[in-house]
PDB file of all heavy atoms in Angstrom:
ATOM      1  N   ALA A 146      48.955 -47.876  37.726  1.00 94.00           N
ATOM      2  CA  ALA A 146      48.183 -46.727  37.245  1.00 94.00           C
ATOM      3  C   ALA A 146      46.738 -46.835  37.732  1.00 94.00           C
ATOM      4  O   ALA A 146      46.224 -47.925  37.945  1.00 94.00           O
ATOM      5  CB  ALA A 146      48.217 -46.687  35.724  1.00 94.00           C
ATOM      6  N   THR A 147      46.102 -45.676  37.896  1.00 93.00           N
ATOM      7  CA  THR A 147      44.706 -45.704  38.344  1.00 93.00           C
ATOM      8  C   THR A 147      43.737 -45.551  37.171  1.00 93.00           C
ATOM      9  O   THR A 147      42.528 -45.543  37.362  1.00 93.00           O
ATOM     10  CB  THR A 147      44.431 -44.578  39.364  1.00 93.00           C
ATOM     11  OG1 THR A 147      44.919 -43.367  38.812  1.00 93.00           O
ATOM     12  CG2 THR A 147      45.082 -44.865  40.684  1.00 93.00           C
ATOM     13  N   ALA A 148      44.289 -45.424  35.957  1.00 89.00           N
ATOM     14  CA  ALA A 148      43.417 -45.290  34.786  1.00 89.00           C
ATOM     15  C   ALA A 148      42.989 -46.672  34.306  1.00 89.00           C
ATOM     16  O   ALA A 148      43.621 -47.266  33.446  1.00 89.00           O
ATOM     17  CB  ALA A 148      44.151 -44.548  33.680  1.00 89.00           C
ATOM     18  N   SER A 149      41.932 -47.206  34.912  1.00 91.00           N
ATOM     19  CA  SER A 149      41.474 -48.543  34.528  1.00 91.00           C
ATOM     20  C   SER A 149      40.000 -48.492  34.196  1.00 91.00           C
ATOM     21  O   SER A 149      39.281 -47.642  34.703  1.00 91.00           O
ATOM     22  CB  SER A 149      41.679 -49.525  35.674  1.00 91.00           C
ATOM     23  OG  SER A 149      43.011 -49.556  36.059  1.00 91.00           O
ATOM     24  N   GLU A 150      39.554 -49.441  33.358  1.00 93.00           N
ATOM     25  CA  GLU A 150      38.118 -49.506  33.100  1.00 93.00           C
ATOM     26  C   GLU A 150      37.622 -50.924  33.339  1.00 93.00           C
ATOM     27  O   GLU A 150      38.319 -51.899  33.077  1.00 93.00           O
ATOM     28  CB  GLU A 150      37.800 -49.057  31.667  1.00 93.00           C
ATOM     29  CG  GLU A 150      38.550 -49.838  30.619  1.00 93.00           C
ATOM     30  CD  GLU A 150      38.057 -49.557  29.208  1.00 93.00           C
ATOM     31  OE1 GLU A 150      37.212 -48.678  29.061  1.00 93.00           O
ATOM     32  OE2 GLU A 150      38.521 -50.246  28.289  1.00 93.00           O
ATOM     33  N   GLN A 151      36.392 -50.999  33.847  1.00 92.00           N
ATOM     34  CA  GLN A 151      35.805 -52.305  34.108  1.00 92.00           C
ATOM     35  C   GLN A 151      35.331 -52.928  32.808  1.00 92.00           C
ATOM     36  O   GLN A 151      34.640 -52.287  32.025  1.00 92.00           O
ATOM     37  CB  GLN A 151      34.646 -52.162  35.082  1.00 92.00           C
ATOM     38  CG  GLN A 151      33.989 -53.483  35.408  1.00 92.00           C
ATOM     39  CD  GLN A 151      32.951 -53.366  36.509  1.00 92.00           C
ATOM     40  OE1 GLN A 151      33.254 -53.276  37.691  1.00 92.00           O
ATOM     41  NE2 GLN A 151      31.703 -53.371  36.114  1.00 92.00           N
ATOM     42  N   VAL A 152      35.734 -54.186  32.575  1.00 90.00           N
ATOM     43  CA  VAL A 152      35.289 -54.905  31.386  1.00 90.00           C
ATOM     44  C   VAL A 152      34.017 -55.678  31.712  1.00 90.00           C
ATOM     45  O   VAL A 152      33.089 -55.730  30.926  1.00 90.00           O
ATOM     46  CB  VAL A 152      36.386 -55.889  30.905  1.00 90.00           C
ATOM     47  CG1 VAL A 152      35.916 -56.673  29.692  1.00 90.00           C
ATOM     48  CG2 VAL A 152      37.676 -55.141  30.601  1.00 90.00           C
ATOM     49  N   SER A 153      33.988 -56.276  32.903  1.00 89.00           N
ATOM     50  CA  SER A 153      32.812 -57.034  33.315  1.00 89.00           C
ATOM     51  C   SER A 153      32.731 -57.043  34.836  1.00 89.00           C
ATOM     52  O   SER A 153      33.742 -57.208  35.513  1.00 89.00           O
ATOM     53  CB  SER A 153      32.891 -58.465  32.783  1.00 89.00           C
ATOM     54  OG  SER A 153      31.916 -59.276  33.396  1.00 89.00           O
ATOM     55  N   ALA A 154      31.518 -56.845  35.348  1.00 89.00           N
ATOM     56  CA  ALA A 154      31.332 -56.829  36.803  1.00 89.00           C
ATOM     57  C   ALA A 154      31.487 -58.221  37.393  1.00 89.00           C
ATOM     58  O   ALA A 154      31.590 -58.387  38.604  1.00 89.00           O
ATOM     59  CB  ALA A 154      29.956 -56.274  37.144  1.00 89.00           C
ATOM     60  N   PHE A 155      31.488 -59.242  36.531  1.00 89.00           N
ATOM     61  CA  PHE A 155      31.599 -60.612  37.019  1.00 89.00           C
ATOM     62  C   PHE A 155      32.830 -61.255  36.397  1.00 89.00           C
ATOM     63  O   PHE A 155      33.072 -61.111  35.198  1.00 89.00           O
ATOM     64  CB  PHE A 155      30.348 -61.406  36.680  1.00 89.00           C
ATOM     65  CG  PHE A 155      29.116 -60.863  37.350  1.00 89.00           C
ATOM     66  CD1 PHE A 155      28.385 -59.843  36.757  1.00 89.00           C
ATOM     67  CD2 PHE A 155      28.711 -61.327  38.589  1.00 89.00           C
ATOM     68  CE1 PHE A 155      27.256 -59.313  37.376  1.00 89.00           C
ATOM     69  CE2 PHE A 155      27.598 -60.805  39.218  1.00 89.00           C
ATOM     70  CZ  PHE A 155      26.864 -59.801  38.607  1.00 89.00           C
ATOM     71  N   GLY A 156      33.602 -61.939  37.213  1.00 87.00           N
ATOM     72  CA  GLY A 156      34.836 -62.550  36.726  1.00 87.00           C
ATOM     73  C   GLY A 156      34.816 -64.059  36.820  1.00 87.00           C
ATOM     74  O   GLY A 156      33.756 -64.677  36.869  1.00 87.00           O
ATOM     75  N   SER A 157      36.027 -64.640  36.890  1.00 85.00           N
ATOM     76  CA  SER A 157      36.141 -66.097  36.877  1.00 85.00           C
ATOM     77  C   SER A 157      35.579 -66.725  38.146  1.00 85.00           C
ATOM     78  O   SER A 157      35.238 -67.895  38.163  1.00 85.00           O
ATOM     79  CB  SER A 157      37.606 -66.488  36.708  1.00 85.00           C
ATOM     80  OG  SER A 157      38.360 -65.937  37.776  1.00 85.00           O
ATOM     81  N   THR A 158      35.490 -65.958  39.223  1.00 86.00           N
ATOM     82  CA  THR A 158      34.853 -66.454  40.439  1.00 86.00           C
ATOM     83  C   THR A 158      33.941 -65.344  40.961  1.00 86.00           C
ATOM     84  O   THR A 158      34.053 -64.197  40.537  1.00 86.00           O
ATOM     85  CB  THR A 158      35.883 -66.782  41.549  1.00 86.00           C
ATOM     86  OG1 THR A 158      36.526 -65.560  41.934  1.00 86.00           O
ATOM     87  CG2 THR A 158      36.937 -67.761  41.072  1.00 86.00           C
ATOM     88  N   ALA A 159      33.058 -65.727  41.906  1.00 84.00           N
ATOM     89  CA  ALA A 159      32.076 -64.757  42.415  1.00 84.00           C
ATOM     90  C   ALA A 159      32.740 -63.530  43.026  1.00 84.00           C
ATOM     91  O   ALA A 159      32.169 -62.445  43.026  1.00 84.00           O
ATOM     92  CB  ALA A 159      31.186 -65.443  43.450  1.00 84.00           C
ATOM     93  N   CYS A 160      33.951 -63.677  43.543  1.00 88.00           N
ATOM     94  CA  CYS A 160      34.562 -62.566  44.284  1.00 88.00           C
ATOM     95  C   CYS A 160      35.334 -61.589  43.396  1.00 88.00           C
ATOM     96  O   CYS A 160      35.845 -60.594  43.884  1.00 88.00           O
ATOM     97  CB  CYS A 160      35.458 -63.106  45.396  1.00 88.00           C
ATOM     98  SG  CYS A 160      36.670 -64.308  44.841  1.00 88.00           S
ATOM     99  N   LYS A 161      35.434 -61.860  42.096  1.00 92.00           N
ATOM    100  CA  LYS A 161      36.256 -60.994  41.240  1.00 92.00           C
ATOM    101  C   LYS A 161      35.475 -60.346  40.087  1.00 92.00           C
ATOM    102  O   LYS A 161      34.468 -60.871  39.643  1.00 92.00           O
ATOM    103  CB  LYS A 161      37.398 -61.816  40.630  1.00 92.00           C
ATOM    104  CG  LYS A 161      38.432 -62.276  41.647  1.00 92.00           C
ATOM    105  CD  LYS A 161      39.516 -63.097  40.967  1.00 92.00           C
ATOM    106  CE  LYS A 161      39.756 -64.393  41.686  1.00 92.00           C
ATOM    107  NZ  LYS A 161      40.038 -65.502  40.798  1.00 92.00           N
ATOM    108  N   SER A 162      36.009 -59.207  39.623  1.00 93.00           N
ATOM    109  CA  SER A 162      35.496 -58.598  38.392  1.00 93.00           C
ATOM    110  C   SER A 162      36.676 -58.425  37.430  1.00 93.00           C
ATOM    111  O   SER A 162      37.831 -58.529  37.832  1.00 93.00           O
ATOM    112  CB  SER A 162      34.836 -57.254  38.687  1.00 93.00           C
ATOM    113  OG  SER A 162      35.714 -56.410  39.388  1.00 93.00           O
ATOM    114  N   LEU A 163      36.352 -58.180  36.146  1.00 93.00           N
ATOM    115  CA  LEU A 163      37.397 -58.068  35.120  1.00 93.00           C
ATOM    116  C   LEU A 163      37.646 -56.610  34.761  1.00 93.00           C
ATOM    117  O   LEU A 163      36.711 -55.865  34.508  1.00 93.00           O
ATOM    118  CB  LEU A 163      36.956 -58.802  33.844  1.00 93.00           C
ATOM    119  CG  LEU A 163      36.915 -60.321  33.851  1.00 93.00           C
ATOM    120  CD1 LEU A 163      36.400 -60.809  32.516  1.00 93.00           C
ATOM    121  CD2 LEU A 163      38.289 -60.887  34.126  1.00 93.00           C
ATOM    122  N   TRP A 164      38.924 -56.238  34.685  1.00 95.00           N
ATOM    123  CA  TRP A 164      39.298 -54.857  34.379  1.00 95.00           C
ATOM    124  C   TRP A 164      40.376 -54.825  33.302  1.00 95.00           C
ATOM    125  O   TRP A 164      41.033 -55.829  33.024  1.00 95.00           O
ATOM    126  CB  TRP A 164      39.821 -54.157  35.642  1.00 95.00           C
ATOM    127  CG  TRP A 164      38.731 -53.886  36.620  1.00 95.00           C
ATOM    128  CD1 TRP A 164      38.019 -54.810  37.322  1.00 95.00           C
ATOM    129  CD2 TRP A 164      38.201 -52.600  36.987  1.00 95.00           C
ATOM    130  NE1 TRP A 164      37.081 -54.184  38.113  1.00 95.00           N
ATOM    131  CE2 TRP A 164      37.177 -52.835  37.924  1.00 95.00           C
ATOM    132  CE3 TRP A 164      38.504 -51.286  36.612  1.00 95.00           C
ATOM    133  CZ2 TRP A 164      36.444 -51.790  38.498  1.00 95.00           C
ATOM    134  CZ3 TRP A 164      37.780 -50.257  37.181  1.00 95.00           C
ATOM    135  CH2 TRP A 164      36.754 -50.512  38.116  1.00 95.00           C
ATOM    136  N   ARG A 165      40.539 -53.643  32.724  1.00 96.00           N
ATOM    137  CA  ARG A 165      41.636 -53.453  31.786  1.00 96.00           C
ATOM    138  C   ARG A 165      42.323 -52.129  32.145  1.00 96.00           C
ATOM    139  O   ARG A 165      41.666 -51.123  32.398  1.00 96.00           O
ATOM    140  CB  ARG A 165      41.127 -53.396  30.348  1.00 96.00           C
ATOM    141  CG  ARG A 165      42.252 -53.243  29.318  1.00 96.00           C
ATOM    142  CD  ARG A 165      41.768 -53.471  27.886  1.00 96.00           C
ATOM    143  NE  ARG A 165      40.454 -52.849  27.689  1.00 96.00           N
ATOM    144  CZ  ARG A 165      39.402 -53.490  27.171  1.00 96.00           C
ATOM    145  NH1 ARG A 165      39.497 -54.729  26.779  1.00 96.00           N
ATOM    146  NH2 ARG A 165      38.257 -52.859  27.021  1.00 96.00           N
ATOM    147  N   CYS A 166      43.660 -52.145  32.152  1.00 96.00           N
ATOM    148  CA  CYS A 166      44.415 -50.952  32.497  1.00 96.00           C
ATOM    149  C   CYS A 166      44.556 -50.085  31.245  1.00 96.00           C
ATOM    150  O   CYS A 166      44.969 -50.557  30.188  1.00 96.00           O
ATOM    151  CB  CYS A 166      45.792 -51.328  33.023  1.00 96.00           C
ATOM    152  SG  CYS A 166      46.814 -49.895  33.349  1.00 96.00           S
ATOM    153  N   ALA A 167      44.203 -48.803  31.364  1.00 94.00           N
ATOM    154  CA  ALA A 167      44.282 -47.908  30.210  1.00 94.00           C
ATOM    155  C   ALA A 167      45.719 -47.437  29.986  1.00 94.00           C
ATOM    156  O   ALA A 167      46.055 -46.910  28.935  1.00 94.00           O
ATOM    157  CB  ALA A 167      43.367 -46.707  30.415  1.00 94.00           C
TER     158      ALA A 167
END
Side-chain angles (χ1 to χ4, degrees):
Chain A
T147 50
S149 303
E150 56 170 6
Q151 180 173 283
V152 178
S153 168
F155 297 86
S157 59
T158 64
C160 53
K161 292 179 230 143
S162 54
L163 289 178
W164 289 67
R165 182 168 41 231
C166 176

